[in-house]
């Protein structure tokens, strides 16, 4: 069995911060290959489920198959870590970020139905506290909030008052067949402003 929390501890010991989502994905894949040298590691792996779905990582070992979606949402941070300079952008638009993460969960559920023996993991890594803190009730994206302890299941939709600009490209509701408890874990802290990183990992 793959222990995502143990894996993330190992990853954080090697890379406490990433330049971008692509950097995070590459480091995750590299770490997996280091831990499981016999694994086949594939990025942007295609599945056909009525239409083509591309999964960030498909990890295939003799004993397990893993479909993994990774999100990296940053708040403004400029720092020197080791001998490497990091300049993270402020992604803002947390409503869209939450929606996209939950869409990853829904997509992984589709893969799980196609590949019942595979495990799926949706991982969100961020230094933006607005992702893990409780949001205000009545907001346009309340259904997608990811505060600690929340149960995620069923149909999740935008508030009817949400503008077309907010929902553009993200209009369809999220439909989750499973039930997931939101539990945020510490990843790293560089002891400077905006440098505390936490991650949310949901097993599908």
């Amino acid at each position: 069995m793959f222990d995502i929390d143990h894996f993330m501890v190992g990853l954080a010991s090697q890379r406490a911060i990433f330049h971008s989502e692509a950097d995070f994905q590459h480091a995750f894949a590299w770490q997996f290959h280091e831990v499981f040298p016999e694994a086949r590691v594939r990025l942007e792996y295609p599945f056909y489920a009525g239409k083509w779905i591309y999964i960030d990582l498909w990890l295939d070992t003799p004993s397990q198959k893993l479909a993994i979606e990774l999100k990296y949402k940053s708040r403004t941070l400029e720092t020197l870590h080791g001998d490497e300079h990091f300049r993270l952008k402020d992604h803002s638009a947390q409503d869209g970020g939450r929606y996209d993460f939950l869409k990853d969960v829904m997509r992984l559920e589709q893969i799980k139905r196609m590949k019942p023996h595979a495990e799926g993991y949706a991982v969100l890594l961020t230094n933006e506290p607005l992702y893990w803190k409780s949001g205000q009730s009545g907001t346009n994206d309340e259904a997608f909030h990811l505060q600690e302890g929340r149960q995620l299941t069923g149909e999740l939709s935008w508030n009817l008052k949400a503008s077309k600009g907010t929902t553009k490209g993200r209009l369809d509701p999220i439909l989750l067949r499973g039930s997931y408890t939101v539990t945020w874990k510490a990843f790293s802290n560089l002891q400077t402003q905006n440098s505390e990183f936490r991650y949310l990992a949901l097993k599908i």
Side-chain angles (χ1 to χ4, degrees):
M1 293 289 289
F2 180 61
D3 185 334
I4 185 66
D5 293 324
H6 180 74
F7 183 88
M8 292 296 283
V9 169
L11 180 59
S13 71
Q14 300 297 318
R15 291 289 309 274
I17 183 174
F18 305 94
H19 294 283
S20 64
E21 188 166 280
D23 186 29
F24 175 39
Q25 292 170 349
H26 178 268
F28 192 104
W30 184 275
Q31 176 78 2
F32 193 88
H33 183 66
E34 290 286 310
V35 176
F36 303 100
E38 78 284 9
R40 290 190 297 175
V41 180
R42 301 291 183 264
L43 279 70
E44 289 295 308
Y45 194 80
F47 288 91
Y48 189 76
K51 62 179 181 180
W52 286 103
I53 299 174
Y54 291 85
I55 297 299
D56 288 339
L57 293 174
W58 175 250
L59 308 171
D60 189 347
T61 77
S63 61
Q64 59 189 348
K65 300 181 188 302
L66 306 174
I68 298 180
E69 290 277 61
L70 301 172
K71 289 282 185 285
Y72 185 61
K73 296 297 183 182
S74 62
R75 188 175 184 178
T76 302
L77 171 60
E78 188 162 357
T79 188
L80 185 68
H81 183 61
D83 61 353
E84 203 167 352
H85 186 83
F86 290 83
R87 190 170 183 269
L88 303 188
K89 298 178 180 179
D90 191 342
H91 286 147
S92 63
Q94 290 81 31
D95 50 1
R98 296 182 188 103
Y99 179 98
D100 291 344
F101 174 72
L102 292 170
K103 186 176 180 179
D104 282 349
V105 177
M106 183 173 69
R107 283 153 46 88
L108 287 169
E109 286 189 340
Q110 288 180 279
I111 302 302
K112 182 72 173 178
R113 292 195 292 273
M114 296 167 58
K115 303 281 187 180
H117 299 298
E119 291 182 3
Y121 291 90
V123 181
L124 169 61
L125 175 63
T126 183
N127 65 329
E128 174 53 84
L130 292 176
Y131 279 101
W132 63 72
K133 289 184 176 179
S134 297
Q136 295 181 349
S137 61
T139 58
N140 291 332
D141 70 330
E142 182 178 5
F144 311 130
H145 284 182
L146 299 171
Q147 69 268 23
E148 181 74 18
R150 187 183 171 194
Q151 289 293 124
L152 300 165
T153 191
E155 180 173 324
L156 308 175
S157 302
W158 295 100
N159 186 303
L160 293 176
K161 296 180 180 179
S163 69
K164 290 183 179 180
T166 297
T167 62
K168 184 179 180 181
R170 299 182 174 92
L171 187 59
D172 293 338
I174 302 294
L175 301 172
L176 301 182
R177 296 190 178 190
S179 181
Y180 310 94
T181 302
V182 174
T183 305
W184 289 91
K185 302 285 183 68
F187 184 77
S188 64
N189 193 328
L190 306 184
Q191 302 300 322
T192 189
Q193 188 176 13
N194 297 341
S195 70
E196 178 188 2
F197 286 85
R198 298 186 189 184
Y199 74 93
L200 169 61
L202 300 182
K203 180 181 177 181
I204 289 74

